[in-house]
Amino acid sequence: MTDTATRFRPARIDFGRFAPEHFLWQRDGKVATITLNRPDRKNPLTLEAYAELRDTFRDLAYADGIKVIVITGAGGNFCSGGDVHEIIGPLVEMQRNSNMTGLLAFTRMTGDLVKAMRACPQPIVAAIDGVCAGAGAIIAMASDLRCGTAQSKVAFLFVRVGLAGADMGACNILPRIIGVGRAAELLYTGRTMDGSEAERWGFYNKLCDRDAVLAEAHGLARSLADGPTFAHAMTKRCIHQEWNMGIDEAIEAEAQAQAICMQTKDYERAYEAFVGKRKPAFAGN
């Protein structure tokens, strides 16, 4: 008999056999790794890569066995943003043809990637080295946690190509990470923030050696995956939902969220482990 919890789910990606076209995918138990993989050009995104990433993060809501996502780039760089020839060129052609419908379809599609990243229940850990610019900086920003290197270079470049810093939620999310004044500086100037500054400003959670940044991100991901993953998903949901709440609404929302978590077996396991003076073995239920 079909499990009641899954019988109404729409047809989605089969992550047991997932082989994406536009990035690498690797799974190690409860942790999955996305690697942007165009190292010869510092891993720029194409229209198809945007869409496949969007669909992947959307469908991760139905991937019960995957508890944490790591996202990184190949070849010593994270992501250089949208491909100049495969994205910016076609967008300029749309502008020349007064194709506002096409331009809006593109900007909404890129924004949908960030929405999907914020909505998926799995915490996302970004491992960042080298260039992290434009849409790459946005993907890093939209992740939950960020491990970076001193050699990395983060830049919200949109103003340099005549666009607003208001791209893919940057004016909403970035100030919440590093503060309004600092976010305004980066978005108005498009300047590069090196790794040490990124850590000092709170954009990076941890600064790592170049040869250790991915391992550090995976270590953090595994520690989260071995924890109370139902509760982690609830924490992520509350962080996202409470941005638009007043304090009284937020306290009530968290009261409801915590009461739900208190119904899980993990809560009972933690209590029994404490009483038994041992480390709890969480199962995510």
Side-chain angles (χ1 to χ4, degrees):
M1 181 179 292
T2 303
D3 183 359
T4 302
T6 60
R7 63 184 293 190
F8 300 114
R9 291 181 178 178
R12 296 290 183 178
I13 292 171
D14 179 356
F15 286 103
R17 297 182 293 178
F18 187 38
E21 285 187 59
H22 303 288
F23 51 85
L24 301 180
W25 172 268
Q26 183 178 3
R27 182 165 174 191
D28 181 8
K30 294 181 285 187
V31 176
T33 302
I34 291 171
T35 304
L36 305 176
N37 190 39
R38 300 178 71 196
D40 55 320
R41 300 178 64 180
K42 301 179 181 178
N43 306 316
L45 299 178
T46 63
L47 294 171
E48 293 77 15
Y50 265 119
E52 191 168 36
L53 285 167
R54 173 202 62 195
D55 294 344
T56 299
F57 281 107
R58 280 179 175 172
D59 285 8
L60 280 167
Y62 304 96
D64 296 331
I66 299 173
K67 301 302 182 182
V68 185
I69 302 297
V70 173
I71 186 164
T72 192
N77 291 289
F78 186 70
C79 175
S80 57
D83 189 289
V84 172
H85 302 292
E86 297 185 48
I87 291 184
I88 298 178
L91 293 176
V92 170
E93 190 62 29
M94 289 184 192
Q95 177 261 325
R96 289 170 177 164
N97 294 327
S98 300
N99 184 359
M100 181 62 180
T101 300
L103 294 171
L104 187 57
F106 169 76
T107 54
R108 283 178 171 162
M109 184 268 288
T110 61
D112 282 344
L113 168 56
V114 173
K115 290 180 184 179
M117 292 177 70
R118 299 313 310 144
C120 82
Q122 295 87 351
I124 303 166
V125 182
I128 302 159
D129 189 21
V131 172
C132 176
I138 296 289
I139 290 173
M141 176 196 77
S143 300
D144 296 279
L145 299 166
R146 288 160 291 278
C147 298
T149 69
Q151 296 79 14
S152 62
K153 302 180 188 303
V154 179
F156 296 83
L157 293 174
F158 311 106
V159 68
R160 295 194 191 179
V161 294
L163 296 176
D167 195 273
M168 299 171 69
C171 286
N172 181 281
I173 300 173
L174 188 60
R176 299 174 189 272
I177 299 173
I178 64 173
V180 174
R182 290 168 171 173
E185 179 187 341
L186 295 180
L187 296 177
Y188 278 126
T189 66
R191 74 167 179 84
T192 296
M193 175 172 59
D194 67 27
S196 297
E197 185 177 35
E199 183 196 29
R200 189 170 67 251
W201 280 15
F203 189 75
Y204 287 161
N205 298 92
K206 187 173 186 179
L207 203 60
C208 311
D209 293 335
R210 299 191 82 166
D211 59 358
V213 63
L214 185 56
E216 291 279 359
H218 277 136
L220 178 55
R222 284 192 295 271
S223 71
L224 293 173
D226 289 339
T229 53
F230 180 92
H232 289 337
M234 186 67 78
T235 299
K236 179 169 180 174
R237 181 178 295 276
C238 286
I239 288 173
H240 185 63
Q241 288 183 337
E242 289 179 30
W243 283 359
N244 296 317
M245 293 181 184
I247 185 62
D248 289 350
E249 294 172 286
I251 289 172
E252 174 58 23
E254 292 190 7
Q256 295 178 23
Q258 206 70 305
I260 292 170
C261 289
M262 287 174 181
Q263 297 179 67
T264 65
K265 293 294 184 181
D266 274 349
Y267 183 60
E268 181 181 4
R269 291 181 186 108
Y271 169 73
E272 291 178 346
F274 178 82
V275 171
K277 297 182 179 181
R278 63 181 186 275
K279 184 178 179 180
F282 294 115
N285 63 357

